Amino acid sequence: MIVVKDVSKQYGDFTALQNVDLEFGNGLYGLLAPNGAGKTTLIKMLATLISPTKGEIFYNGKNINDMDDQYRERLGYLPQQFGYYKNYSPKQYLLYLAALKGIGKKEALNKIDELLEKVALSDVVNKKMKKFSGGMIQRVGIAQALLNDPEILILDEPTAGLDPKERARFRHLLTDLARDRLVIISTHIVSDIESIANEIIMIRNKQLLYKDSVADICATLNGCVFETTIDYGQLEDFRKNNILLSEKQEYGQMTVRFIHKGNSEDEWTSVPPQLEDVFLYEYRDELEGEN
Amino acid sequence: MNKERFKVPDLDEQTIRIQIDKIVSVGVKPKQSFPSYLKSMMQQVGLRHIFSDRLEITFITLLVTMMIGLMVLLPYYSEIHDMYGYIFLLSPILFLVLSIFTYVRKTQNHTYDVEMACKYNVYQIIAFRMLVFSVFSIVLNMIAVAILAIQYDEIQFMRAFLLSITALFLFSILLLFALMKRRTTVIVVSTVIGWTLGNLVLQSMNVNLYNDLLMKTPIVVNAVVLLVIVITYVWYLKKLLQFKQREGVFE
């Protein structure tokens, strides 16, 4: 079990995270927040790439930095930018990383074949990676994170560059893996984790906003999410009075999904809130800033 | 409500001792010695992966050729009595260039994050390579000094060899110290420039103390100084092996 205890991280005057407390048991956790919210900082601290300025992170009661290689032996990590050697084949690169992870060559060779099969790269095992697409590189990254059969698997934006079919395969793989280990996925794509995460963690203003199941997080907007159809001309006024989540043009009219707290109107249809709705609602300022 | 009562059995001294030993042996990780750590790293990672970079191997070969060429050509362009100074200045150059090349390649590479999260991380690989490079440099310096001593009777092999190895380890300590304090390329490059310029200035100004240190110090004193320096080097190298990322990502 990982316990994040009162952790803050500062880079000079800039605070990236502030007083974060978290607990992770076995299962799949989705770390969901827009870009720049501090996801990667938290992930890097969990991967021991950086240390907290304040607070501590424990694995089974021991500080992960003090555990040193004993912790890293149990860790599988895919960084946001997965680096590789262009002239290496996936097999060569995985053999190299297996050696750094302290895995014997014979054991590594068997594991590499099995993993490359899992990520559907069996037919390019010996091809140089410089010819690979972004999705293929990402799949090599996923395979390397699993090399040491880690107890803790941390993946930072793992679905970047994957096509819908690959994403679906990846979700199956993760659900399988999370049965007997701790998997943490950082993403800003709600659909990546909505259906598979046991718990969602949201960070806002450098602090923990939610750590709960999808159902419980969605319940925070119960009775506040509606859909209705309006004329295109009404859209600007509608935007001013409600928080628009999505808009879709149909037969010359607009179907809008929105949040309204207070009395509703008869022509509005109340709909069950989705995780995407909570995400768009909670991060509306940050997302507007991005746009 | 009935409270559950725990009955603690009366244990004899021997059983208590056995159980304490068992708890300690399970809970406390035995501290691995430096040589056994290096041995297990060598066995698990292997030289093939520690020196996996083809560009690095090409670079090493090129450098070795240049160094030997320089050592052979140097006496034609300088006075024999300046040779000890040049040996002191140039001895760490091979080690220095190899170490810096490794350091910059490893820490600036986009594979840094992936490799840092492995059991044997970037800094442990760098430290191991530095150790191998220092052994490699000792052998090469010995050959170069031997070539000089055979060519010129004025050059004493033992003095030149001790000077060369002292310079090598002294510089290694400076480099390791710089790496420990602030792991930035600027600091590492400054150390290199500082060493080279410092020695060149002292040599060109013909500072008596510097020359006496190089040419007149008794060989026994040289040997003792070398021993202290080697011990300090190993101590710093152990620290780099146990290096933990405290401050943040590489700047």
Side-chain angles (χ1 to χ4, degrees), chain A residues 9 44 49-51 65-66 69-70 72-73 77 79 82-85 88 93 96 99-100 102 144, chain B residues 29 44-45 49 52 106 109-111 113-116 118-121 124-125 244-249:
Chain A
K9 181 70 193 174
K44 281 191 169 180
L49 291 181
I50 53 175
S51 297
N65 283 317
D66 294 339
D69 57 346
Q70 279 194 323
R72 294 198 302 273
E73 258 179 343
Y77 171 59
F82 172 62
Y84 60 99
Y85 297 104
Y88 274 36
Y93 191 36
Y96 168 66
L100 294 187
Q144 67 78 28
Chain B
K29 178 191 166 194
Q44 289 187 32
V45 183
H49 290 298
S52 57
K106 278 278 159 205
N109 202 315
H110 45 290
T111 56
D113 278 2
V114 180
E115 293 180 13
M116 267 312 275
C118 290
K119 183 183 174 188
Y120 295 107
N121 69 26
Q124 285 154 353
I125 297 290
K244 285 168 196 160
Q245 189 83 335
R246 292 270 177 214
E247 296 303 318
V249 286

Side-chain angles (χ1 to χ4, degrees), chain A residues 55-59 61-68 71, chain B residues 246:
Chain A
E56 283 180 283
I57 303 175
F58 299 97
Y59 178 63
K62 291 179 189 163
N63 184 308
I64 60 169
N65 283 317
D66 294 339
M67 283 178 79
D68 202 15
Y71 177 74
Chain B
R246 292 270 177 214

Side-chain angles (χ1 to χ4, degrees), chain A residues 157-180:
Chain A
E157 305 275 358
T159 55
L162 299 187
D163 64 32
K165 194 176 145 201
E166 287 164 353
R167 274 169 199 248
R169 194 207 325 262
F170 179 61
R171 279 198 293 269
H172 287 305
L173 177 64
L174 285 182
T175 317
D176 240 20
L177 290 167
R179 266 187 280 164
D180 55 357

Side-chain angles (χ1 to χ4, degrees), chain B residues 173-226:
Chain B
I173 292 170
L174 278 178
L175 188 69
L176 281 170
F177 183 74
L179 283 179
M180 293 295 175
K181 285 295 162 193
R182 284 209 60 200
R183 296 165 297 281
T184 66
T185 314
V186 179
I187 292 290
V188 174
V189 173
S190 310
T191 315
V192 177
I193 296 174
W195 171 272
T196 317
L197 281 183
N199 274 293
L200 276 178
V201 167
L202 284 170
Q203 205 176 349
S204 62
M205 286 169 68
N206 211 8
V207 177
N208 281 339
L209 182 66
Y210 179 75
N211 287 339
D212 288 351
L213 267 177
L214 295 183
M215 296 177 72
K216 291 180 185 160
T217 317
I219 284 182
V220 182
V221 177
N222 264 356
V224 173
V225 170
L226 178 61

Side-chain angles (χ1 to χ4, degrees), chain B residues 7-222:
Chain B
K7 193 167 180 282
V8 180
D10 290 328
L11 296 174
D12 60 279
E13 273 295 314
Q14 198 191 359
T15 315
I16 292 174
R17 210 174 308 121
I18 290 170
Q19 293 200 354
I20 289 175
D21 286 347
K22 201 174 165 190
I23 293 165
V24 170
S25 71
V26 171
V28 179
K29 178 191 166 194
K31 211 176 168 192
Q32 213 174 2
S33 70
F34 184 55
S36 90
Y37 184 87
L38 290 176
K39 196 179 155 198
S40 61
M41 189 169 170
M42 177 85 171
Q43 279 168 348
Q44 289 187 32
V45 183
L47 273 183
R48 202 174 135 248
H49 290 298
I50 294 174
F51 297 95
S52 57
D53 201 330
R54 254 182 268 165
L55 185 64
E56 198 172 70
I57 304 292
T58 319
F59 189 62
I60 290 173
T61 318
L62 203 72
L63 251 166
V64 169
T65 321
M66 277 170 62
M67 276 293 292
I68 295 193
L70 193 68
M71 280 292 185
V72 174
L73 290 176
L74 203 61
Y76 294 107
Y77 298 97
S78 62
E79 299 292 326
I80 291 296
H81 70 264
D82 285 339
M83 284 308 295
Y84 289 113
Y86 282 121
I87 288 170
F88 194 70
L89 170 69
L90 292 176
S91 291
I93 295 287
L94 178 68
F95 169 80
L96 159 170
V97 180
L98 292 176
S99 300
I100 287 173
F101 185 74
T102 275
Y103 179 78
V104 173
R105 288 270 296 175
K106 278 278 159 205
T107 53
Q108 305 285 39
N109 202 315
H110 45 290
T111 56
Y112 178 77
D113 278 2
V114 180
E115 293 180 13
M116 267 312 275
C118 290
K119 183 183 174 188
Y120 295 107
N121 69 26
V122 170
Y123 290 93
Q124 285 154 353
I125 297 290
I126 291 175
F128 196 93
R129 283 188 189 201
M130 281 173 83
L131 190 72
V132 175
F133 289 151
S134 52
V135 174
F136 182 67
S137 302
I138 290 173
V139 174
L140 215 85
N141 284 354
M142 195 163 73
I143 296 170
V145 169
I147 293 173
L148 280 178
I150 292 168
Q151 273 183 305
Y152 303 96
D153 292 339
E154 298 91 325
I155 295 174
Q156 269 182 286
F157 173 77
M158 192 43 93
R159 177 177 296 280
F161 177 66
L162 283 178
L163 265 183
S164 141
I165 307 302
T166 307
L168 174 69
F169 282 108
L170 195 62
F171 181 81
S172 311
I173 292 170
L174 278 178
L175 188 69
L176 281 170
F177 183 74
L179 283 179
M180 293 295 175
K181 285 295 162 193
R182 284 209 60 200
R183 296 165 297 281
T184 66
T185 314
V186 179
I187 292 290
V188 174
V189 173
S190 310
T191 315
V192 177
I193 296 174
W195 171 272
T196 317
L197 281 183
N199 274 293
L200 276 178
V201 167
L202 284 170
Q203 205 176 349
S204 62
M205 286 169 68
N206 211 8
V207 177
N208 281 339
L209 182 66
Y210 179 75
N211 287 339
D212 288 351
L213 267 177
L214 295 183
M215 296 177 72
K216 291 180 185 160
T217 317
I219 284 182
V220 182
V221 177
N222 264 356

Side-chain angles (χ1 to χ4, degrees), chain A residues 91-235:
Chain A
K91 192 174 182 175
Q92 276 176 311
Y93 191 36
L94 292 185
L95 263 174
Y96 168 66
L97 290 175
L100 294 187
K101 286 171 192 256
I103 305 168
K105 194 177 174 187
K106 201 175 160 196
E107 192 191 333
L109 281 169
N110 292 333
K111 191 77 189 170
I112 289 167
D113 284 343
E114 179 199 320
L115 286 173
L116 289 176
E117 169 100 50
K118 254 186 192 166
V119 295
L121 288 174
S122 298
D123 47 343
V124 288
V125 169
N126 293 311
K127 291 260 183 325
K128 284 189 176 176
M129 287 196 283
K130 65 179 165 195
K131 291 180 181 162
F132 281 19
S133 68
M136 287 164 90
I137 296 291
Q138 198 66 0
R139 282 184 276 156
V140 177
I142 292 163
Q144 67 78 28
L146 298 171
L147 266 176
N148 51 337
D149 200 11
E151 290 168 25
I152 311 142
L153 180 61
I154 299 176
L155 309 165
D156 197 357
E157 305 275 358
T159 55
L162 299 187
D163 64 32
K165 194 176 145 201
E166 287 164 353
R167 274 169 199 248
R169 194 207 325 262
F170 179 61
R171 279 198 293 269
H172 287 305
L173 177 64
L174 285 182
T175 317
D176 240 20
L177 290 167
R179 266 187 280 164
D180 55 357
R181 73 194 80 213
L182 161 59
V183 182
I184 303 172
I185 304 172
S186 145
T187 185
H188 62 279
I189 302 163
V190 177
S191 60
D192 278 351
I193 46 167
E194 189 172 26
S195 59
I196 55 170
N198 300 82
E199 281 197 350
I200 301 288
I201 295 150
M202 286 184 168
I203 298 168
R204 194 181 62 190
N205 295 335
K206 295 144 185 106
Q207 286 178 314
L208 184 67
L209 176 67
Y210 291 121
K211 181 184 177 285
D212 223 326
S213 64
V214 174
D216 286 347
I217 291 178
C218 290
T220 58
L221 284 183
N222 266 349
C224 303
V225 184
F226 299 92
E227 279 184 3
T228 191
T229 306
I230 55 170
D231 287 331
Y232 189 76
Q234 294 174 279
L235 190 61

